[in-house]
Amino acid sequence: MKLLKLVPDNTNVDFMRWRNIAMGMSILLVIASLARWCRCVA
């Protein structure tokens, strides 16, 4: 029985290239959501 191949064997995706930008965006979004939540609660 042949297995289903969704991704080729020689795939080279550089996920770690954007880690610093993604971390910064995540921190900014968390701070923005907390600020908005505190503003709605108070």
Side-chain angles (χ1 to χ4, degrees), residues 2 9-10 13 15-16 19 29 36-37 39-42:
K2 192 173 184 178
D9 290 334
N10 60 353
V13 180
F15 289 107
M16 298 304 287
R19 70 185 179 274
L29 288 172
R36 184 171 169 96
W37 179 76
R39 198 167 154 200
C40 290
V41 172

Side-chain angles (χ1 to χ4, degrees), residues 10-25:
N10 60 353
T11 302
N12 186 12
V13 180
D14 190 12
F15 289 107
M16 298 304 287
R17 177 176 27 174
W18 302 103
R19 70 185 179 274
N20 293 330
I21 294 172
M23 179 64 75
M25 290 294 291

